[in-house]
Amino acid sequence: MTERFADHPFIRACRGLPHDRVPVWFMRQAGRSLPEYAAVRGEGSILDAIQDPDRATEITLQPVRRYGVDAAILFSDIVTPVFASGFGIDITPGVGPTCEHPFRSAADLDRLRPLTEGDLEFQSETVRRLVAELDIPLIGFAGGPFTMASYLVEGRPSRDYAKVKALMAGEPELWHRLCERIADLAIATLTDQVANGASAVQLFDSWAGSLRPEHYREYVFPHSSRILDAVAELDVPRIHFGITTGELLDQIAEAGADVVGVDWRTRLSDARQRTGGRVALQGNLDPALLLTPWPVLEAEVRRVLDDNGGHPGHIFNLGHGVLPQADPDQLLRVVELVHAEGTARGDRA
Ligand code: CP3
């Protein structure tokens, strides 16, 4: 595949190659922190906006215009493919993903059917429109095995993941069958996004950090590896992310990532050691600090850059998503500072 953005700082940083300046984008850069989002989102489930290429395209572009970030992320959600497969999942405003009939037994596997031609056409169309419009890389994404299973089994966001862990450790055979279906959906989604022009992909296994390393190895790693291996042949950078994954970073990298997302609990320098320097890193400003006065935030941004120490394999980001109450002006200042001061060692020859 000819890579339109092969020389873009974001793509070069993903590959650990030297480039001119540290690239920056923000998880959840679109959405509720932006007043212009409220203006186009409309009432009802966010899944309605996601299924409407006009709105989804516009919402994706809003933060790109406002911040001058180095990558756009498709406006969709990790539950979109499961929704499209007809499982029966919604996103309840103020709550998150909810299922009226959560996954309980082997009979529920039938509701997680593979996607067929046309199921994700609304998303493919949004990707095509974005790729035609953007002059920066577009990131596609999917949900990782543990995070997706947590919503399907718990039926809503959870604090303790009690039901999903009980199924995982108590009924391992059913667990693996569930994760195979989840992985198939992720592979189909990511492949479709890249086929339509996405330049990178991110696998969000946001809640996998709630597992101890041996459980991650046994129950999640094989499925994440299968997803990331399948995507490898598409030849776009693969970002693999979760929060509280300090003890899992080696496995998150080993599963087949080019870039590992790091939250604010782990220093980039420690993350670099734990991943053996084999991958680029993305992160890791604490999103809560966007709410502090600029001098405090400025010092924190510099600390992240210093901690990276000029390594070319760094994409500046938050350690998790932008909070709805964050001030967009603060995000703009962060982008400007990273662009002005972020250095990526090894000037391009
Ligand atoms: O700008 C972007 O980051 C792109 C859009 C995006 C959304 N969801 C839109 C969205 C992305 C990348 C996601 C991924 C996602 N969805 C994750 C992984 C990232 C993470 O936060 O760890 C997860 C866990 C979900 C599931 C989900 N969807 C949750 C927990 C929520 C929040 C519930 C709430 O209202 O607080 C959603 C809803 C959602 N997805 C919103 C947006 C902009 C907000 C709801 C709205 O506008 O109604």
Side-chain angles (χ1 to χ4, degrees), residues 11-72:
I11 298 293
R12 289 188 65 91
C14 286
R15 303 216 149 109
L17 301 169
H19 47 274
D20 301 332
R21 56 178 168 79
V22 175
V24 49
W25 69 279
F26 303 109
M27 290 184 278
R28 291 283 171 94
Q29 61 193 12
R32 288 178 300 179
S33 58
L34 294 180
E36 57 268 38
Y37 171 69
V40 297
R41 181 198 183 282
E43 298 295 314
S45 169
I46 190 192
L47 286 164
D48 296 339
I50 287 171
Q51 289 177 88
D52 173 2
D54 286 339
R55 277 187 282 169
T57 302
E58 168 60 20
I59 292 168
T60 304
L61 295 173
Q62 286 176 343
V64 175
R65 292 188 199 113
R66 193 186 257 266
Y67 300 132
V69 281
D70 294 290

Side-chain angles (χ1 to χ4, degrees), residues 51-52 84 106 158 188 193 204 221 252 258 287 297 302 306 328:
Q51 289 177 88
D52 173 2
S158 170
Q193 292 165 352
F204 281 96
F221 182 90
I252 303 253
D258 302 294
L297 177 57
R302 287 182 200 278
D306 288 349

Side-chain angles (χ1 to χ4, degrees), residues 26-309:
F26 303 109
M27 290 184 278
R28 291 283 171 94
Q29 61 193 12
R32 288 178 300 179
S33 58
L34 294 180
E36 57 268 38
Y37 171 69
V40 297
R41 181 198 183 282
E43 298 295 314
S45 169
I46 190 192
L47 286 164
D48 296 339
I50 287 171
Q51 289 177 88
D52 173 2
D54 286 339
R55 277 187 282 169
T57 302
E58 168 60 20
I59 292 168
T60 304
L61 295 173
Q62 286 176 343
V64 175
R65 292 188 199 113
R66 193 186 257 266
Y67 300 132
V69 281
D70 294 290
I73 182 157
L74 173 67
F75 187 74
S76 184
D77 196 89
I78 57 170
V79 305
T80 302
V82 172
F83 168 77
S85 85
F87 181 81
I89 193 162
D90 202 352
I91 298 181
T92 307
V95 178
T98 49
C99 311
E100 201 179 331
H101 302 291
F103 184 94
R104 289 282 180 265
S105 71
D108 296 316
L109 286 167
D110 294 340
R111 289 192 286 145
L112 267 179
R113 63 165 179 82
L115 294 173
T116 52
E117 192 73 27
D119 283 341
L120 280 180
E121 181 47 33
F122 59 89
Q123 186 168 281
S124 318
E125 173 64 16
T126 304
V127 171
R128 284 192 295 271
R129 290 192 197 180
L130 285 166
V131 169
E133 192 114 342
L134 284 164
D135 56 8
I136 54 172
L138 175 70
I139 303 170
F141 67 92
F146 184 78
T147 302
M148 290 310 302
S150 79
Y151 289 118
L152 297 178
V153 175
E154 302 280 345
R156 52 174 296 122
S158 170
R159 269 176 201 278
D160 52 21
Y161 307 102
K163 292 191 183 78
V164 65
K165 287 185 184 179
L167 187 134
M168 179 187 83
E171 296 180 76
E173 203 206 330
L174 180 57
W175 167 263
H176 286 298
R177 290 176 71 194
L178 169 60
C179 285
E180 275 162 25
R181 296 283 169 108
I182 290 171
D184 288 342
L185 288 173
I187 292 167
T189 306
L190 296 173
T191 302
D192 185 72
Q193 292 165 352
V194 174
N196 284 292
S199 296
V201 292
Q202 178 154 336
L203 188 63
F204 281 96
D205 212 350
S206 304
W207 317 133
S210 69
L211 296 175
R212 65 186 174 86
E214 294 80 2
H215 274 167
Y216 183 86
R217 172 67 68 181
E218 182 169 354
Y219 296 117
V220 180
F221 182 90
H223 305 287
S224 301
S225 298
R226 186 162 76 85
I227 299 167
L228 292 167
D229 285 352
V231 177
E233 61 197 47
L234 306 176
D235 209 23
V236 297
R238 297 156 299 166
I239 310 168
H240 193 186
F241 167 81
I243 66 161
T244 56
T245 50
E247 299 299 321
L248 302 177
L249 286 175
D250 53 340
Q251 296 190 62
I252 303 253
E254 187 192 336
D258 302 294
V259 183
V260 166
V262 183
D263 84 3
W264 59 94
R265 297 169 184 87
T266 308
R267 297 171 58 115
L268 290 179
S269 45
D270 290 336
R272 189 126 3 236
Q273 274 194 333
R274 291 178 198 183
T275 54
R278 284 171 287 123
V279 290
L281 301 177
Q282 176 171 280
N284 72 343
L285 183 76
D286 183 342
L289 298 173
L290 292 169
L291 277 57
T292 61
W294 172 245
V296 178
L297 177 57
E298 180 182 13
E300 292 286 344
V301 172
R302 287 182 200 278
R303 193 195 55 71
V304 172
L305 292 172
D306 288 349
D307 194 17
N308 177 63

